[in-house]
Amino acid sequence: MAAAAKTTPKHADAPINKALTRDDKIKLFRQISRIRRFEQISLKHYNAGKMGGFLHLYIGQESVAVGCVSLMGPNDHVITAYRDHGHALAVGMGMNECMAELFGKKTGCSKGKGGSMHYFAPDKNYWGGHGIVAGQTPLGLGLAYGLKYKGLKGAAMCFMGDGAVNQGAFHESLNLAALFDLPVIYIIENNGYSMGTSQARSSSYTGCLAQRAEGYGIAWEQLNGEDVYEVRARVQVAMERAHSESKPTVLEIATYRYYGHSVADANHKKYRTKEEIERYEREHDPILIWRDHMIKEGILTDAQATEIDQEAFKEAEAAAVFAEKSDWPDPSEIFDDVYWEVDNQTVASQSGRHFFND
Amino acid sequence: MPRLIEYRQAIREALDEELARDPMVVLMGEEVAQYNGAYKVTQGLWEKWGDKRVVDTPISEAGFIGMGVGASMLGIRPVMELMFWSFYTVAWDQIINNAGMVRYMSGGLINCPIVVRGPANGGTGVGATHSHTPENIMASFPGMKCVCPATARDAKGLMKAAIRDNDPVMFMENTLLYGEKGEVPDNSELPEGELFIPLGVAEVKREGTDLSLIAHGRAVLTCLKAAEILEEEHGISVEVVDLRTIRPLDEETIFESVRKTHKAICVDENKPFCGVSAQIASSIQLHCFDDLDAPVLRVSALDSPAFYSPPIEKLQLPYPDVIVAKALSIC
Ligand SMILES: Cc1ncc(C[n+]2csc(CCOP(=O)(O)OP(=O)(O)O)c2C)c(N)n1
Ligand SMILES: [Mg+2]
């Protein structure tokens, strides 16, 4: 929300974007389309009663995750909140395992234990998927601490919502980040609302939310998230700061969610207008904007772009079939993954009682 | 014609009546006002009572719950909603150390008439972090009170008692019960002109002679179903005791039941380790040892974090068949 000016050519010309090959750009288009299609298909099955709990859709915000994740090197890490499908697919998690998790199946990325809000893939430097608002913010700090401790040149990108900035844990994290010079990048995905509460009704600030970083002596920036070029160009500055100076940054990225807070949010056309939603869909859609770049730059024809999108659609549909056909977890798995020592049948697991069912 | 209303509406009526009765009562929490509450418990109250009495807060549980605790020291009577009771962990210090301890540490000079309310249950596919049942934890702190109503009627009457109580009351509702309808008399039908159920009074929800099932919250409904099966299919007469309040705990009603039936199973949706049922089982063996014809048994949630997958999560919480099987093992 509160989007700044439209992307200028300057962002496309930033060295980090100049370095993109044709294939890189097509890959970005494929990713952004896959996230959209994955969520559209998941919505369909959620509405058909195939899933439990909540489904928080990222639709409208895809350029943020895709742009940021595209900057990651081997020692860069990601952690986010419960609106986590986009980041998960962007880091390379598969549609099958992600869809199966929503269906609560054994083949899900968390074996059906976590659900929509709790995707994890440590092998891809992706640390979740967290349901408690701002609960991930000290964890992001901890990833940065771990990197620095190990002497690795990397950054921890910690995503959060505009509503999460008011949690104490986040403020404590900012102080620690600055005090200890930790390479963490807090990325506030500002979609204007925390559930039904607008930014103006939830936060007091001067200038913008990211500017609160100033009080902690932390560099900050506010940018527009609808264009992958802009996201990449400006987040890269923070990445460099983390890598070369081991310093934190707070970024506030303007974006918008088209759907309700979760699918169960029946009020989402009450606290904001239909016109507002339609304007974003029409004028600020991250997929349309990137597609437009591709076509204008002669990288893709309209037909080719449509084909990529259709492939994404088919992949998502196939993932739903996979999820549907997969087995439920076995009840015996209820007590797996509680204790490391017990799962690994170590000596430590042999002494004392771990579980208290009778 | 009995008046049937939803559990959520029953709570809403209690809040509304207390807002009317006492100008010091303030409702506060995330999305409680303009959004009408995430689970619509507070629907219409902001419209009726306005910004001063029904207040939306940012997502800052430690801050706003602590603010409520502080205001209560000055005689405000805040009724704070946790959108999920599970988020108490964010406000832990404010609830436990401040609301729970200030009376003692001030030698009785200060008290905190605050209510913290919201749903505290598993079984809805929202994953481990959102499925906590902290009634045993809250009740483990002397200074705290804890209420877990199972029916619409109890929810209304107990909420009114909670708001008027001068100690911190942790009021635990259940998202699976919000839509359940129950009989709640209209105030005009009541001699006192209102429904008020004091804290610390259990209720026998079904009378029986062969076995006592002792439960609170949604587990009471599960026990009632199990009792029906046991009666119909096995000819066992089961009494169901609903604790309603965890602390103060009405031990006498429990003991009376056990002295009659000589057998007890404690059922709760708590995790078993130091769960509410553990406390009750301990009290029963101490006070009713000679009356018992069998060991006191327990049925609790399975001892692992909440599993997301809906069919598996269902198995984690007590369901009638488990209670029936336990009962048959001692009857
Ligand atoms: C500690 C805590 N409090 C409240 C909630 C309930 N809740 C979940 S998301 C949310 C809104 C968060 O909004 P924002 O941070 O802007 O993120 P967005 O949903 O817009 O991505 C709330 C109140 C929660 N999950 N955790
Ligand atoms: Mg938001």
Side-chain angles (χ1 to χ4, degrees):
Chain A
M1 275 284 271
K6 275 236 160 199
T7 314
T8 61
K10 191 174 96 225
H11 295 122
D13 291 341
I16 192 75
N17 287 331
K18 280 279 181 211
L20 288 171
T21 64
R22 279 175 82 85
D23 282 352
D24 291 338
K25 292 183 186 182
I26 294 170
K27 190 177 159 209
L28 290 169
F29 182 67
R30 194 180 300 282
Q31 279 189 331
I32 212 168
S33 307
R34 286 175 72 246
I35 296 171
R36 175 76 51 100
R37 291 304 192 179
F38 174 86
E39 291 207 308
Q40 286 172 339
I41 297 296
S42 66
L43 172 62
K44 184 173 109 187
H45 291 277
Y46 182 88
N47 285 336
K50 298 285 181 188
M51 300 166 194
F54 299 129
L55 186 70
H56 304 93
L57 297 176
Y58 194 59
I59 292 179
Q61 304 186 200
E62 297 93 336
S63 45
V64 180
V66 167
C68 292
V69 166
S70 71
L71 299 168
M72 283 170 71
N75 292 318
D76 298 316
H77 294 253
V78 170
I79 188 165
T80 187
Y82 46 84
R83 201 176 296 284
D84 60 348
H85 312 152
H87 310 78
L89 293 176
V91 299
M93 288 178 75
M95 278 202 198
N96 281 357
E97 53 175 331
C98 289
M99 193 67 84
E101 188 62 30
L102 299 180
F103 279 66
K105 296 299 180 75
K106 192 187 176 82
T107 51
C109 49
S110 297
K111 305 178 198 161
K113 285 182 167 155
S116 162
M117 303 194 286
H118 307 112
Y119 286 3
F120 301 88
D123 61 320
K124 299 182 170 62
N125 292 0
Y126 178 62
W127 300 94
H130 294 267
I132 298 295
V133 168
Q136 78 280 17
T137 56
L139 295 185
L141 186 68
L143 295 170
Y145 182 87
L147 286 168
K148 186 172 178 182
Y149 190 87
K150 289 182 170 180
L152 298 169
K153 225 183 199 2
M157 287 192 276
C158 179
F159 293 85
M160 54 193 290
D162 48 290
V165 300
N166 299 313
Q167 287 286 38
F170 176 52
H171 288 266
E172 296 181 24
S173 301
L174 289 181
N175 181 50
L176 284 160
L179 194 66
F180 291 174
D181 285 330
L182 297 179
V184 61
I185 306 172
Y186 285 108
I187 299 173
I188 305 164
E189 294 191 64
N190 188 347
N191 57 17
Y193 298 90
S194 49
M195 283 191 71
T197 305
S198 65
Q199 179 180 336
R201 291 207 302 118
S202 63
S203 292
S204 174
Y205 54 92
T206 314
C208 67
L209 297 175
Q211 198 173 330
R212 286 182 178 177
E214 236 167 65
Y216 295 98
I218 295 177
W220 61 274
E221 218 187 339
Q222 189 184 25
L223 55 136
N224 194 336
E226 68 198 35
D227 187 335
V228 174
Y229 278 143
E230 176 166 356
V231 172
R232 282 174 48 86
R234 298 178 72 179
V235 176
Q236 176 60 19
V237 177
M239 283 292 240
E240 270 165 25
R241 183 177 296 122
H243 288 177
S244 56
E245 300 169 48
S246 188
K247 292 264 193 213
T249 305
V250 176
L251 298 175
E252 177 178 344
I253 305 188
T255 184
Y256 199 77
R257 64 165 155 79
Y258 297 170
Y259 286 85
H261 166 68
S262 71
V263 179
D265 175 6
N267 284 359
H268 84 104
K269 286 182 182 153
K270 292 188 189 149
Y271 56 76
R272 52 187 195 176
T273 62
K274 189 161 151 270
E275 290 68 36
E276 177 181 301
I277 302 171
E278 283 171 1
R279 182 165 51 83
Y280 273 91
E281 285 177 335
R282 209 174 44 241
E283 296 170 20
H284 302 279
D285 184 69
I287 300 194
L288 292 181
I289 289 170
W290 193 248
R291 185 183 176 121
D292 203 44
H293 285 318
M294 296 302 94
I295 291 168
K296 284 208 180 103
E297 291 177 30
I299 289 171
L300 289 173
T301 62
D302 199 49
Q304 284 168 325
T306 301
E307 195 183 317
I308 290 173
D309 177 50
Q310 280 308 304
E311 280 166 17
F313 180 74
K314 283 189 195 126
E315 187 189 355
E317 285 212 310
V321 173
F322 169 83
E324 184 101 66
K325 284 192 176 152
S326 292
D327 290 333
W328 294 109
D330 191 85
S332 65
E333 292 165 43
I334 290 174
F335 302 105
D336 294 342
D337 307 314
V338 181
Y339 291 106
W340 190 94
E341 302 284 358
V342 173
D343 290 338
N344 290 284
Q345 296 186 5
T346 61
V347 174
S349 74
Q350 307 301 318
S351 50
R353 183 175 175 187
H354 289 78
F355 294 98
F356 290 82
N357 302 295
D358 274 343
Chain B
M1 263 287 276
R3 193 177 70 119
L4 287 180
I5 61 170
E6 285 185 357
Y7 183 99
R8 61 158 65 77
Q9 188 189 333
I11 297 170
R12 186 186 309 142
E13 285 184 1
L15 298 173
D16 189 32
E17 290 172 24
E18 292 305 295
L19 280 163
R21 190 189 56 79
D22 182 350
M24 288 298 117
V25 173
V26 176
L27 309 190
M28 211 180 274
E30 292 156 19
E31 310 289 354
V32 297
Q34 298 193 27
Y35 194 85
N36 283 316
Y39 289 98
K40 304 291 166 254
V41 172
T42 52
Q43 182 141 32
L45 295 180
W46 172 70
E47 217 174 333
K48 176 169 177 186
W49 293 102
D51 286 333
K52 182 166 179 189
R53 309 294 301 285
V54 184
V55 184
D56 276 328
T57 66
I59 309 167
S60 309
E61 285 84 0
F64 76 78
I65 297 279
M67 180 172 82
V69 175
S72 76
M73 301 193 302
L74 213 57
I76 313 298
R77 303 190 88 88
V79 182
M80 316 296 288
E81 175 172 305
L82 285 168
M83 190 180 286
F84 281 74
W85 243 102
S86 285
F87 307 152
Y88 79 100
T89 44
V90 179
W92 176 258
D93 181 53
Q94 299 304 321
I95 296 175
I96 305 301
N97 276 326
N98 290 346
M101 308 292 151
V102 74
R103 173 159 171 76
Y104 197 73
M105 293 189 304
S106 68
L109 294 176
I110 299 171
N111 65 313
C112 295
I114 186 173
V115 175
V116 182
R117 55 156 289 269
N121 58 283
T124 58
V126 289
T129 59
H130 283 50
S131 303
H132 294 295
T133 49
E135 60 269 29
N136 57 330
I137 297 175
M138 289 299 145
S140 76
F141 293 100
M144 300 289 241
K145 296 182 176 177
C146 183
V147 182
C148 298
T151 65
R153 183 177 183 280
D154 291 345
K156 179 171 181 184
L158 288 164
M159 178 59 83
K160 296 184 61 130
I163 294 173
R164 291 184 215 175
D165 203 275
N166 286 314
D167 291 310
V169 181
M170 308 297 114
F171 198 95
M172 300 190 190
E173 303 156 16
N174 190 314
T175 52
L176 294 170
L177 297 182
Y178 279 144
E180 291 282 315
K181 285 194 172 165
E183 197 181 324
V184 181
D186 192 84
N187 285 344
S188 61
E189 299 165 23
L190 297 164
E192 305 81 14
E194 67 168 348
L195 181 67
F196 182 92
I197 300 173
L199 306 187
V201 182
E203 186 178 63
V204 175
K205 285 279 196 292
R206 175 191 171 108
E207 294 203 24
T209 52
D210 302 332
L211 167 71
S212 300
L213 295 178
I214 298 154
H216 65 273
R218 181 167 164 267
V220 172
L221 308 189
T222 316
C223 286
L224 288 169
K225 284 189 197 123
E228 256 170 55
I229 299 172
L230 284 163
E231 177 95 56
E232 280 167 23
E233 297 178 14
H234 305 280
I236 298 169
S237 163
V238 179
E239 180 145 303
V240 177
V241 178
D242 177 0
L243 301 175
R244 301 202 291 197
T245 309
I246 309 303
R247 188 171 184 150
L249 180 67
D250 179 1
E251 287 194 315
E252 237 355 274
T253 299
I254 301 171
F255 299 159
E256 228 170 81
S257 177
V258 175
R259 285 182 192 126
K260 179 167 70 167
T261 64
H262 308 292
K263 290 181 185 133
I265 303 177
C266 305
V267 184
D268 58 8
E269 297 191 351
N270 252 176
K271 299 296 173 200
F273 195 97
C274 298
V276 169
S277 57
Q279 175 63 40
I280 310 246
S282 158
S283 300
I284 293 175
Q285 67 80 27
L286 181 65
H287 296 278
C288 305
F289 189 75
D290 292 333
D291 299 289
L292 286 170
D293 286 346
V296 179
L297 301 183
R298 299 169 60 203
V299 178
S300 297
L302 295 188
D303 199 13
S304 70
F307 206 123
Y308 157 67
S309 185
I312 307 296
E313 193 195 12
K314 280 208 180 73
L315 305 176
Q316 289 186 295
L317 298 178
Y319 52 96
D321 289 354
V322 186
I323 301 171
V324 169
K326 271 265 153 96
L328 293 178
S329 76
I330 50 167
C331 287

